[in-house]
Amino acid sequence: GFMKKELRRSTTDRVFAGVCGGLGEYFGIDSNIVRVLWVLFALGGGSGLLVYIICALLIPEESTW
């Protein structure tokens, strides 16, 4: 059956809250690439940490069943 792809925080591919792992799964790219881009964004004067925290709070965790 066709499953709708939903953005979820990863429960398996995680360093902190699983946001980058979830984004990597969602977009079909390596989660480490997402992490590197996120760090560059945060260090480049962006509000990466704040955005990460908001994402961690808003994006639901993937179900384990």
Side-chain angles (χ1 to χ4, degrees), residues 1-64:
F2 178 76
M3 282 189 61
K4 189 176 76 145
K5 194 159 67 162
E6 292 183 1
L7 180 58
R8 298 269 187 222
R9 288 188 290 124
S10 177
T11 54
T12 52
D13 182 8
R14 66 191 320 164
V15 174
F16 297 110
V19 173
C20 293
L23 287 170
E25 282 179 34
Y26 184 80
F27 291 111
I29 56 177
D30 190 296
S31 58
N32 289 316
I33 295 171
V34 178
R35 288 184 185 103
V36 168
L37 292 174
W38 204 293
V39 168
L40 290 175
F41 173 70
L43 294 177
S47 50
L49 185 61
L50 180 64
V51 173
Y52 187 91
I53 293 168
I54 292 169
C55 287
L57 294 173
L58 295 181
I59 300 171
E61 202 167 70
E62 67 186 357
S63 56
T64 52

